[in-house]
Amino acid sequence: MSKSGGYVVRLSPDRKDAFEHNPYDTFGEPVQEFSHSRNVPLACFVIDSSNKLTDIALGKRGTRAGTDMRRLNLHDIYTLKSPVDIDDIEKRVPNKLKKKVSEKIAFGGLLPPKSFESFLNIVSSLAPDSSRILSRFSEARYRRIQNLSSQVRATLAEQKEAVATALTIAGIGRDEIYGWDVNDKGTTTSFLDGLEQVRLREDPMVVNDLNSLPGYEAIRHTSHALVVFENTQSKLTVVLANRLPLEKQLGVDLIYYNETFSCFLMVQYKAMEEEGGQAVYRFPNQQLSDEIDRMRLVLSELRKVGPNAEADGFRLSENPFFLKICPRLVFDPDNIGLVKGMYLPLDYWDLLSEHPTTVGPKGGKRLSYNNVRRYFDNTEFVTIASGGWVGTTIAQSKHLESAIRSTLKSGRAVVFAVNIQTDRRHRRNR
């Protein structure tokens, strides 16, 4: 699990004035070059020229801002109810960490891990209103997550990947899933349960909208959580449905519905294992065979639907099924990046799985980056998915309920994501 970081931001009087009167949701500050993954949370502590800690924000390493300079983008800015005197912080820092912390307070910069943990705990105690925000970066949270069973974490990893993929296709920032934590009751039934900053919803208007969507009837009476993510261009409703506890689920299917083009896509995740220094997916196995048969059964029903006759129903491929072959997912809620992998359309999988290059020296079959010459990576898949270029036609989309029911019956969870574009340029006239 990636460890969060902490950064002290020193603002001159002029920059503090610009910060306080900034009309935008983010504020960019040029700082000395530093290294930190853009996919891992960064807590930023804003100190003014009077040596007061006034604000806390999430930060992201941005573009270059000159020689040996880097833009630090601050967002989700929280102003403390009462500024904290830096002297009060410094005198509480343990002696073995005091030199490093004092240096960062004086000049700004990235706090070393142990210094960050100490700084965070001190600020939380001196500014109690900040504790709810800073708790997502704490060592206690880290331990809560690590105490989850390996099977629960494996299932949560797939659910997180599916939700993050849906957000990316919809054009909504994955920052929405920062700060995941075990819920207050200590019981977690799905990845959505741990997103405190995103309100779980059973809003009658939201549910009413879903009732009119093809396939939702199969989910409505199944145990599920529902969340709405939104920006100025898109509204993404995510329903995570399952019939079994986390530790007994057999995997996750992402079912993504592009409402603008009435198009369904379905993604199933398959884990590669490390062998001889490379990632390999071995097959066949009974679970894979059963799931492929299930896809083909649904596909045979979809192909009974008449040919598409609408411009918005045009698809480069009308087969909605994809496998994502990727290294085994590890549950790391502090890394919001998409795992690298190979998206393979089902029709392509049928050809690859019978190709001689997949046969090993002992007769077994395996896929790796060495013998799959073409595949969609994350960026390419998001492009074709977001534009409705592949998936079910408008008429076929009315028949997807059976696919959702069969997924739930198989013991897998369903991440059912519905994207409605609020940007009117691409919306269909009904």
Side-chain angles (χ1 to χ4, degrees), residues 233-234 258-262 312 386-389 419-430:
Q233 282 80 41
S234 293
N258 183 326
E259 188 267 353
T260 304
F261 296 103
S262 295
D312 281 350
S386 61
W389 290 111
N419 179 32
I420 299 175
Q421 288 188 334
T422 53
D423 184 337
R424 303 295 302 181
R425 289 175 298 169
H426 298 122
R427 290 183 58 76
R428 273 194 301 134
N429 293 323
R430 297 183 182 276

PDB file of all heavy atoms in Angstrom, residues 233-234 258-262 312 386-389 419-430:
ATOM      1  N   GLN A 233     -19.476  18.134 -16.887  1.00  0.00           N
ATOM      2  CA  GLN A 233     -19.797  17.468 -18.150  1.00  0.00           C
ATOM      3  C   GLN A 233     -20.597  16.173 -17.975  1.00  0.00           C
ATOM      4  O   GLN A 233     -21.353  15.795 -18.861  1.00  0.00           O
ATOM      5  CB  GLN A 233     -18.515  17.120 -18.926  1.00  0.00           C
ATOM      6  CG  GLN A 233     -17.877  18.272 -19.665  1.00  0.00           C
ATOM      7  CD  GLN A 233     -17.051  19.148 -18.739  1.00  0.00           C
ATOM      8  OE1 GLN A 233     -16.339  18.638 -17.874  1.00  0.00           O
ATOM      9  NE2 GLN A 233     -17.138  20.454 -18.886  1.00  0.00           N
ATOM     10  N   SER A 234     -20.419  15.504 -16.860  1.00  0.00           N
ATOM     11  CA  SER A 234     -20.996  14.167 -16.718  1.00  0.00           C
ATOM     12  C   SER A 234     -21.567  13.925 -15.329  1.00  0.00           C
ATOM     13  O   SER A 234     -21.104  14.501 -14.338  1.00  0.00           O
ATOM     14  CB  SER A 234     -19.933  13.092 -17.001  1.00  0.00           C
ATOM     15  OG  SER A 234     -19.528  13.099 -18.346  1.00  0.00           O
ATOM     16  N   ASN A 258     -23.265   3.898 -21.460  1.00  0.00           N
ATOM     17  CA  ASN A 258     -23.171   5.249 -22.005  1.00  0.00           C
ATOM     18  C   ASN A 258     -24.570   5.661 -22.429  1.00  0.00           C
ATOM     19  O   ASN A 258     -25.063   5.254 -23.484  1.00  0.00           O
ATOM     20  CB  ASN A 258     -22.202   5.243 -23.195  1.00  0.00           C
ATOM     21  CG  ASN A 258     -21.985   6.618 -23.787  1.00  0.00           C
ATOM     22  OD1 ASN A 258     -22.885   7.445 -23.815  1.00  0.00           O
ATOM     23  ND2 ASN A 258     -20.787   6.860 -24.309  1.00  0.00           N
ATOM     24  N   GLU A 259     -25.237   6.459 -21.594  1.00  0.00           N
ATOM     25  CA  GLU A 259     -26.627   6.832 -21.856  1.00  0.00           C
ATOM     26  C   GLU A 259     -26.756   7.656 -23.117  1.00  0.00           C
ATOM     27  O   GLU A 259     -27.765   7.572 -23.824  1.00  0.00           O
ATOM     28  CB  GLU A 259     -27.172   7.594 -20.635  1.00  0.00           C
ATOM     29  CG  GLU A 259     -28.660   7.884 -20.662  1.00  0.00           C
ATOM     30  CD  GLU A 259     -28.979   9.253 -21.269  1.00  0.00           C
ATOM     31  OE1 GLU A 259     -28.036  10.024 -21.550  1.00  0.00           O
ATOM     32  OE2 GLU A 259     -30.180   9.538 -21.450  1.00  0.00           O
ATOM     33  N   THR A 260     -25.743   8.443 -23.441  1.00  0.00           N
ATOM     34  CA  THR A 260     -25.807   9.305 -24.616  1.00  0.00           C
ATOM     35  C   THR A 260     -26.004   8.492 -25.889  1.00  0.00           C
ATOM     36  O   THR A 260     -26.785   8.873 -26.765  1.00  0.00           O
ATOM     37  CB  THR A 260     -24.508  10.133 -24.739  1.00  0.00           C
ATOM     38  OG1 THR A 260     -24.319  10.868 -23.532  1.00  0.00           O
ATOM     39  CG2 THR A 260     -24.588  11.097 -25.912  1.00  0.00           C
ATOM     40  N   PHE A 261     -25.303   7.366 -25.991  1.00  0.00           N
ATOM     41  CA  PHE A 261     -25.394   6.533 -27.191  1.00  0.00           C
ATOM     42  C   PHE A 261     -26.069   5.187 -26.913  1.00  0.00           C
ATOM     43  O   PHE A 261     -26.015   4.290 -27.757  1.00  0.00           O
ATOM     44  CB  PHE A 261     -23.996   6.308 -27.770  1.00  0.00           C
ATOM     45  CG  PHE A 261     -23.350   7.582 -28.249  1.00  0.00           C
ATOM     46  CD1 PHE A 261     -22.364   8.192 -27.493  1.00  0.00           C
ATOM     47  CD2 PHE A 261     -23.742   8.188 -29.434  1.00  0.00           C
ATOM     48  CE1 PHE A 261     -21.771   9.380 -27.911  1.00  0.00           C
ATOM     49  CE2 PHE A 261     -23.166   9.375 -29.855  1.00  0.00           C
ATOM     50  CZ  PHE A 261     -22.183   9.975 -29.093  1.00  0.00           C
ATOM     51  N   SER A 262     -26.704   5.058 -25.742  1.00  0.00           N
ATOM     52  CA  SER A 262     -27.400   3.816 -25.364  1.00  0.00           C
ATOM     53  C   SER A 262     -26.527   2.595 -25.637  1.00  0.00           C
ATOM     54  O   SER A 262     -26.900   1.682 -26.375  1.00  0.00           O
ATOM     55  CB  SER A 262     -28.737   3.699 -26.107  1.00  0.00           C
ATOM     56  OG  SER A 262     -29.619   4.720 -25.728  1.00  0.00           O
ATOM     57  N   ASP A 312     -26.510   7.055 -34.152  1.00  0.00           N
ATOM     58  CA  ASP A 312     -25.964   6.951 -32.802  1.00  0.00           C
ATOM     59  C   ASP A 312     -25.772   5.510 -32.365  1.00  0.00           C
ATOM     60  O   ASP A 312     -25.124   5.249 -31.349  1.00  0.00           O
ATOM     61  CB  ASP A 312     -26.875   7.672 -31.797  1.00  0.00           C
ATOM     62  CG  ASP A 312     -26.669   9.175 -31.807  1.00  0.00           C
ATOM     63  OD1 ASP A 312     -25.698   9.630 -32.443  1.00  0.00           O
ATOM     64  OD2 ASP A 312     -27.475   9.892 -31.182  1.00  0.00           O
ATOM     65  N   SER A 386     -15.549   5.790 -24.177  1.00  0.00           N
ATOM     66  CA  SER A 386     -16.214   7.069 -23.896  1.00  0.00           C
ATOM     67  C   SER A 386     -16.985   7.582 -25.104  1.00  0.00           C
ATOM     68  O   SER A 386     -17.996   8.267 -24.965  1.00  0.00           O
ATOM     69  CB  SER A 386     -15.189   8.114 -23.446  1.00  0.00           C
ATOM     70  OG  SER A 386     -14.236   8.338 -24.460  1.00  0.00           O
ATOM     71  N   GLY A 387     -16.528   7.243 -26.304  1.00  0.00           N
ATOM     72  CA  GLY A 387     -17.222   7.704 -27.510  1.00  0.00           C
ATOM     73  C   GLY A 387     -18.321   6.786 -27.979  1.00  0.00           C
ATOM     74  O   GLY A 387     -18.973   7.069 -28.999  1.00  0.00           O
ATOM     75  N   GLY A 388     -18.565   5.686 -27.276  1.00  0.00           N
ATOM     76  CA  GLY A 388     -19.612   4.764 -27.690  1.00  0.00           C
ATOM     77  C   GLY A 388     -19.290   4.057 -28.993  1.00  0.00           C
ATOM     78  O   GLY A 388     -20.201   3.651 -29.726  1.00  0.00           O
ATOM     79  N   TRP A 389     -17.999   3.858 -29.274  1.00  0.00           N
ATOM     80  CA  TRP A 389     -17.599   3.248 -30.543  1.00  0.00           C
ATOM     81  C   TRP A 389     -17.698   1.729 -30.517  1.00  0.00           C
ATOM     82  O   TRP A 389     -17.708   1.089 -31.579  1.00  0.00           O
ATOM     83  CB  TRP A 389     -16.176   3.675 -30.903  1.00  0.00           C
ATOM     84  CG  TRP A 389     -16.082   5.118 -31.291  1.00  0.00           C
ATOM     85  CD1 TRP A 389     -15.483   6.125 -30.591  1.00  0.00           C
ATOM     86  CD2 TRP A 389     -16.612   5.727 -32.471  1.00  0.00           C
ATOM     87  NE1 TRP A 389     -15.611   7.316 -31.260  1.00  0.00           N
ATOM     88  CE2 TRP A 389     -16.296   7.109 -32.421  1.00  0.00           C
ATOM     89  CE3 TRP A 389     -17.328   5.244 -33.574  1.00  0.00           C
ATOM     90  CZ2 TRP A 389     -16.668   7.999 -33.412  1.00  0.00           C
ATOM     91  CZ3 TRP A 389     -17.702   6.134 -34.567  1.00  0.00           C
ATOM     92  CH2 TRP A 389     -17.374   7.496 -34.487  1.00  0.00           C
ATOM     93  N   ASN A 419     -23.459   6.543 -17.153  1.00  0.00           N
ATOM     94  CA  ASN A 419     -22.979   7.902 -17.410  1.00  0.00           C
ATOM     95  C   ASN A 419     -23.996   8.683 -18.232  1.00  0.00           C
ATOM     96  O   ASN A 419     -24.384   8.260 -19.329  1.00  0.00           O
ATOM     97  CB  ASN A 419     -21.635   7.864 -18.159  1.00  0.00           C
ATOM     98  CG  ASN A 419     -21.133   9.263 -18.469  1.00  0.00           C
ATOM     99  OD1 ASN A 419     -21.368  10.200 -17.708  1.00  0.00           O
ATOM    100  ND2 ASN A 419     -20.448   9.421 -19.578  1.00  0.00           N
ATOM    101  N   ILE A 420     -24.414   9.803 -17.688  1.00  0.00           N
ATOM    102  CA  ILE A 420     -25.290  10.727 -18.405  1.00  0.00           C
ATOM    103  C   ILE A 420     -24.517  12.010 -18.627  1.00  0.00           C
ATOM    104  O   ILE A 420     -24.097  12.659 -17.668  1.00  0.00           O
ATOM    105  CB  ILE A 420     -26.581  11.015 -17.604  1.00  0.00           C
ATOM    106  CG1 ILE A 420     -27.363   9.716 -17.390  1.00  0.00           C
ATOM    107  CG2 ILE A 420     -27.442  12.045 -18.310  1.00  0.00           C
ATOM    108  CD1 ILE A 420     -28.586   9.889 -16.501  1.00  0.00           C
ATOM    109  N   GLN A 421     -24.293  12.368 -19.881  1.00  0.00           N
ATOM    110  CA  GLN A 421     -23.553  13.587 -20.183  1.00  0.00           C
ATOM    111  C   GLN A 421     -24.446  14.802 -19.987  1.00  0.00           C
ATOM    112  O   GLN A 421     -25.528  14.879 -20.548  1.00  0.00           O
ATOM    113  CB  GLN A 421     -23.003  13.552 -21.615  1.00  0.00           C
ATOM    114  CG  GLN A 421     -21.848  12.589 -21.803  1.00  0.00           C
ATOM    115  CD  GLN A 421     -21.206  12.721 -23.161  1.00  0.00           C
ATOM    116  OE1 GLN A 421     -21.842  13.141 -24.119  1.00  0.00           O
ATOM    117  NE2 GLN A 421     -19.947  12.361 -23.261  1.00  0.00           N
ATOM    118  N   THR A 422     -23.959  15.745 -19.177  1.00  0.00           N
ATOM    119  CA  THR A 422     -24.708  16.980 -18.971  1.00  0.00           C
ATOM    120  C   THR A 422     -24.348  18.038 -20.001  1.00  0.00           C
ATOM    121  O   THR A 422     -25.025  19.047 -20.135  1.00  0.00           O
ATOM    122  CB  THR A 422     -24.458  17.522 -17.551  1.00  0.00           C
ATOM    123  OG1 THR A 422     -23.038  17.629 -17.337  1.00  0.00           O
ATOM    124  CG2 THR A 422     -25.029  16.586 -16.515  1.00  0.00           C
ATOM    125  N   ASP A 423     -23.246  17.794 -20.734  1.00  0.00           N
ATOM    126  CA  ASP A 423     -22.882  18.663 -21.852  1.00  0.00           C
ATOM    127  C   ASP A 423     -23.829  18.334 -23.000  1.00  0.00           C
ATOM    128  O   ASP A 423     -23.827  17.234 -23.543  1.00  0.00           O
ATOM    129  CB  ASP A 423     -21.432  18.374 -22.264  1.00  0.00           C
ATOM    130  CG  ASP A 423     -20.932  19.301 -23.365  1.00  0.00           C
ATOM    131  OD1 ASP A 423     -21.778  19.837 -24.102  1.00  0.00           O
ATOM    132  OD2 ASP A 423     -19.711  19.475 -23.477  1.00  0.00           O
ATOM    133  N   ARG A 424     -24.652  19.284 -23.420  1.00  0.00           N
ATOM    134  CA  ARG A 424     -25.726  19.017 -24.359  1.00  0.00           C
ATOM    135  C   ARG A 424     -25.255  18.730 -25.769  1.00  0.00           C
ATOM    136  O   ARG A 424     -26.015  18.225 -26.590  1.00  0.00           O
ATOM    137  CB  ARG A 424     -26.689  20.224 -24.409  1.00  0.00           C
ATOM    138  CG  ARG A 424     -27.297  20.610 -23.086  1.00  0.00           C
ATOM    139  CD  ARG A 424     -28.198  19.544 -22.530  1.00  0.00           C
ATOM    140  NE  ARG A 424     -29.296  19.194 -23.409  1.00  0.00           N
ATOM    141  CZ  ARG A 424     -30.225  18.293 -23.097  1.00  0.00           C
ATOM    142  NH1 ARG A 424     -30.174  17.658 -21.951  1.00  0.00           N
ATOM    143  NH2 ARG A 424     -31.202  18.023 -23.944  1.00  0.00           N
ATOM    144  N   ARG A 425     -23.993  19.017 -26.075  1.00  0.00           N
ATOM    145  CA  ARG A 425     -23.557  18.888 -27.470  1.00  0.00           C
ATOM    146  C   ARG A 425     -23.680  17.467 -27.991  1.00  0.00           C
ATOM    147  O   ARG A 425     -23.914  17.273 -29.183  1.00  0.00           O
ATOM    148  CB  ARG A 425     -22.091  19.348 -27.606  1.00  0.00           C
ATOM    149  CG  ARG A 425     -21.897  20.826 -27.469  1.00  0.00           C
ATOM    150  CD  ARG A 425     -20.410  21.162 -27.504  1.00  0.00           C
ATOM    151  NE  ARG A 425     -19.716  20.529 -26.394  1.00  0.00           N
ATOM    152  CZ  ARG A 425     -18.400  20.477 -26.299  1.00  0.00           C
ATOM    153  NH1 ARG A 425     -17.637  20.980 -27.238  1.00  0.00           N
ATOM    154  NH2 ARG A 425     -17.830  19.900 -25.253  1.00  0.00           N
ATOM    155  N   HIS A 426     -23.505  16.474 -27.124  1.00  0.00           N
ATOM    156  CA  HIS A 426     -23.499  15.094 -27.599  1.00  0.00           C
ATOM    157  C   HIS A 426     -24.723  14.320 -27.164  1.00  0.00           C
ATOM    158  O   HIS A 426     -24.758  13.103 -27.305  1.00  0.00           O
ATOM    159  CB  HIS A 426     -22.227  14.388 -27.116  1.00  0.00           C
ATOM    160  CG  HIS A 426     -20.981  15.007 -27.642  1.00  0.00           C
ATOM    161  ND1 HIS A 426     -19.996  15.483 -26.825  1.00  0.00           N
ATOM    162  CD2 HIS A 426     -20.584  15.256 -28.911  1.00  0.00           C
ATOM    163  CE1 HIS A 426     -19.025  15.994 -27.555  1.00  0.00           C
ATOM    164  NE2 HIS A 426     -19.353  15.865 -28.815  1.00  0.00           N
ATOM    165  N   ARG A 427     -25.728  15.006 -26.679  1.00  0.00           N
ATOM    166  CA  ARG A 427     -26.913  14.286 -26.233  1.00  0.00           C
ATOM    167  C   ARG A 427     -27.884  14.068 -27.387  1.00  0.00           C
ATOM    168  O   ARG A 427     -28.049  14.904 -28.258  1.00  0.00           O
ATOM    169  CB  ARG A 427     -27.611  15.041 -25.094  1.00  0.00           C
ATOM    170  CG  ARG A 427     -26.803  15.004 -23.815  1.00  0.00           C
ATOM    171  CD  ARG A 427     -27.512  15.675 -22.663  1.00  0.00           C
ATOM    172  NE  ARG A 427     -28.806  15.086 -22.395  1.00  0.00           N
ATOM    173  CZ  ARG A 427     -28.997  13.931 -21.788  1.00  0.00           C
ATOM    174  NH1 ARG A 427     -27.978  13.218 -21.411  1.00  0.00           N
ATOM    175  NH2 ARG A 427     -30.225  13.471 -21.572  1.00  0.00           N
ATOM    176  N   ARG A 428     -28.515  12.897 -27.369  1.00  0.00           N
ATOM    177  CA  ARG A 428     -29.456  12.569 -28.448  1.00  0.00           C
ATOM    178  C   ARG A 428     -30.768  13.279 -28.234  1.00  0.00           C
ATOM    179  O   ARG A 428     -31.245  13.468 -27.130  1.00  0.00           O
ATOM    180  CB  ARG A 428     -29.731  11.050 -28.431  1.00  0.00           C
ATOM    181  CG  ARG A 428     -28.746  10.250 -29.217  1.00  0.00           C
ATOM    182  CD  ARG A 428     -29.260   8.850 -29.432  1.00  0.00           C
ATOM    183  NE  ARG A 428     -29.516   8.148 -28.174  1.00  0.00           N
ATOM    184  CZ  ARG A 428     -30.616   7.453 -27.944  1.00  0.00           C
ATOM    185  NH1 ARG A 428     -31.574   7.386 -28.835  1.00  0.00           N
ATOM    186  NH2 ARG A 428     -30.766   6.823 -26.805  1.00  0.00           N
ATOM    187  N   ASN A 429     -31.384  13.653 -29.329  1.00  0.00           N
ATOM    188  CA  ASN A 429     -32.759  14.146 -29.265  1.00  0.00           C
ATOM    189  C   ASN A 429     -33.684  12.954 -29.150  1.00  0.00           C
ATOM    190  O   ASN A 429     -33.592  12.000 -29.920  1.00  0.00           O
ATOM    191  CB  ASN A 429     -33.084  14.933 -30.555  1.00  0.00           C
ATOM    192  CG  ASN A 429     -32.288  16.198 -30.660  1.00  0.00           C
ATOM    193  OD1 ASN A 429     -32.037  16.863 -29.662  1.00  0.00           O
ATOM    194  ND2 ASN A 429     -31.851  16.528 -31.873  1.00  0.00           N
ATOM    195  N   ARG A 430     -34.579  13.018 -28.203  1.00  0.00           N
ATOM    196  CA  ARG A 430     -35.480  11.854 -27.973  1.00  0.00           C
ATOM    197  C   ARG A 430     -36.891  12.219 -28.433  1.00  0.00           C
ATOM    198  O   ARG A 430     -37.303  13.329 -28.405  1.00  0.00           O
ATOM    199  CB  ARG A 430     -35.490  11.495 -26.491  1.00  0.00           C
ATOM    200  CG  ARG A 430     -34.109  11.050 -26.023  1.00  0.00           C
ATOM    201  CD  ARG A 430     -34.168  10.619 -24.562  1.00  0.00           C
ATOM    202  NE  ARG A 430     -32.867  10.248 -24.075  1.00  0.00           N
ATOM    203  CZ  ARG A 430     -32.312   9.058 -24.237  1.00  0.00           C
ATOM    204  NH1 ARG A 430     -32.943   8.115 -24.877  1.00  0.00           N
ATOM    205  NH2 ARG A 430     -31.110   8.803 -23.761  1.00  0.00           N
TER     206      ARG A 430
END
